[in-house]
Amino acid sequence: MVSVRDVAVDARVSVGTVSNVLNRPEKVAPDTVAKVHASIARLGFVRNDAARQLRAGRSKSIGLVVLDIRNPFFAEVVRGAEERAAEHGYSVLVANSDEKQQREATHLDLFEEQRVAGVLITPVEEALPRLERMREHGIPSVLVDRESHDSRFCSVAVDDVMGGRIAAAHLLDQGRRRLALVGGPAALRQVSDRLRGAQDAAAERGVGVEFIASDALSVEEGRRAGERILARGPADRPDAIFAANDLLALGLLQSLVMTGDVRVPDDIALIGYDDIDYAAAAVIPLSSVRQPAALIGSTAVDLLLGTDHPADEHVLFEPELVARASTQGA
């Protein structure tokens, strides 16, 4: 690889002169600038912008940590963030915590070492102390898909308590009375908020909500939860299930209809959350609570870069019910 020193030798100038030509050409005589650029072209030198930015103490990269990159919801968040960042000359470095705190911490350490311009993060649990230390080192953060009232951090999210209420109210409106929410880990704020909203809506009509825990928000965990529900007798099963995201709901749907013993929605109505593309394409189109995923990503970048937003703003979007055959029948 051709180095700055190689260019200096070829152009018969100092390394410092080559550096000035690359970074402060107005301080160098035009003839010398032309001579250095001729050597650059002849040798095929490519400058290392990443190293230059690190030496300067700044970066044109933004770190983004998501809970599960396999989830199409987060893929849309990434897309929205990347498009908005590109408009401002930034790139986005995407990291997947896989809902694990240690992996999340490792990614944050790496982003700090790289001196990213800022971090967008959907934290696994309580990451604010770690983010506060990064802020003190000049790296701001925005919480994504996570509501916060902490004045030190901006946040952009959807009202998940409202989303839980919407989902449960829709199931109750269909005449269902034995409601269950499938989701987990329970420590995830999104899961606990959606459960709280569902419980509030159900309590207003004099019924409860059973919580069926899962180890992750994945299709596989949805299948396992479905198998546990099928192992019960018909009278002991819920007549309506609210899955904490669409991946869980799709796994549940597979388990419930595979044996032919359960009809969706006749025996068990099913609603998910996020309204990913696969929800409408399911063999029984899946009702869901829609989040504006790409808008969440682009707004998070706006908050981080201060584009038309104050430094401590908290943006909260409202979710939207999308009713399909899994709760309403054909």
Side-chain angles (χ1 to χ4, degrees):
M1 181 179 294
V2 178
S3 68
V4 171
R5 184 174 299 279
D6 295 329
V7 173
V9 170
D10 186 79
R12 298 183 180 180
V13 297
S14 69
V15 171
T17 297
V18 176
S19 179
N20 281 334
V21 169
L22 293 172
N23 300 299
R24 295 175 294 276
E26 70 280 359
K27 294 188 175 184
V28 184
D31 290 347
T32 303
V33 171
K35 184 167 60 173
V36 169
H37 277 299
S39 293
I40 287 173
R42 183 163 50 251
L43 298 176
F45 170 77
V46 178
R47 68 188 300 172
N48 187 338
D49 276 338
R52 177 177 59 84
Q53 289 168 2
L54 285 175
R55 288 193 298 270
R58 64 182 183 275
S59 170
K60 297 293 285 186
S61 297
I62 295 170
L64 172 55
V65 185
V66 299
L67 287 176
D68 184 359
I69 197 62
R70 297 172 300 176
N71 187 337
F73 166 75
F74 286 113
E76 278 294 291
V77 171
V78 170
R79 184 174 66 85
E82 285 183 330
E83 290 182 355
R84 185 55 52 85
E87 293 174 7
H88 298 283
Y90 287 81
S91 60
V92 176
L93 307 177
V94 181
N96 177 38
S97 70
D98 203 26
E99 300 173 11
K100 296 180 175 63
Q101 281 188 298
Q102 183 55 54
R103 185 172 295 184
E104 174 185 272
T106 299
H107 292 317
L108 291 176
D109 288 343
L110 179 60
F111 286 152
E112 187 167 15
E113 290 173 6
Q114 294 177 335
R115 301 180 196 172
V116 295
V119 169
L120 312 177
I121 181 172
T122 304
V124 176
E125 291 185 22
E126 185 54 71
L128 295 189
R130 178 70 176 83
L131 298 177
E132 172 64 14
R133 291 195 298 273
M134 293 181 69
R135 190 178 72 88
E136 291 172 354
H137 296 157
I139 300 177
S141 300
V142 173
L143 304 185
V144 179
D145 193 36
R146 167 77 174 273
E147 185 180 1
S148 173
H149 301 290
D150 192 311
S151 61
R152 297 170 298 173
F153 303 99
C154 292
S155 65
V156 55
V158 167
D159 189 338
D160 281 322
V161 175
M162 178 185 290
R165 291 184 65 92
I166 289 172
H170 175 63
L171 295 172
L172 293 163
D173 287 344
Q174 308 307 307
R176 311 296 169 150
R177 289 297 178 268
R178 301 192 308 277
L179 273 60
L181 184 142
V182 175
L188 288 176
R189 177 74 64 83
Q190 293 89 335
V191 173
S192 61
D193 282 354
R194 292 166 196 177
L195 174 61
R196 178 156 59 92
Q199 289 172 330
D200 289 346
E204 292 171 1
R205 306 200 196 184
V207 300
V209 178
E210 177 188 3
F211 179 62
I212 300 175
S214 64
D215 291 334
L217 300 172
S218 65
V219 173
E220 294 81 3
E221 282 297 309
R223 291 195 198 102
R224 294 188 183 100
E227 290 166 1
R228 296 199 299 274
I229 291 169
L230 288 173
R232 305 180 186 181
D236 294 328
R237 297 168 185 162
D239 63 4
I241 298 173
F242 170 29
N245 78 353
D246 285 342
L247 295 183
L248 279 171
L250 291 170
L252 281 158
L253 184 61
Q254 290 177 6
S255 287
L256 294 177
V257 303
M258 191 173 298
T259 63
D261 295 333
V262 172
R263 297 168 299 166
V264 175
D266 302 63
D267 301 319
I268 299 178
L270 176 63
I271 187 170
Y273 204 102
D274 292 336
D275 194 35
I276 63 176
D277 290 342
Y278 299 124
V283 62
I284 300 174
L286 181 66
S287 295
S288 190
V289 177
R290 176 179 294 162
Q291 301 194 78
L295 181 59
I296 289 172
S298 62
T299 302
V301 172
D302 287 342
L303 292 173
L304 186 71
L305 300 180
T307 307
D308 299 326
H309 293 278
D312 61 347
E313 184 169 350
H314 306 286
V315 178
L316 191 64
F317 295 110
E318 291 189 358
E320 175 187 357
L321 174 69
V322 181
R324 298 191 179 97
S326 69
T327 57
Q328 294 186 318

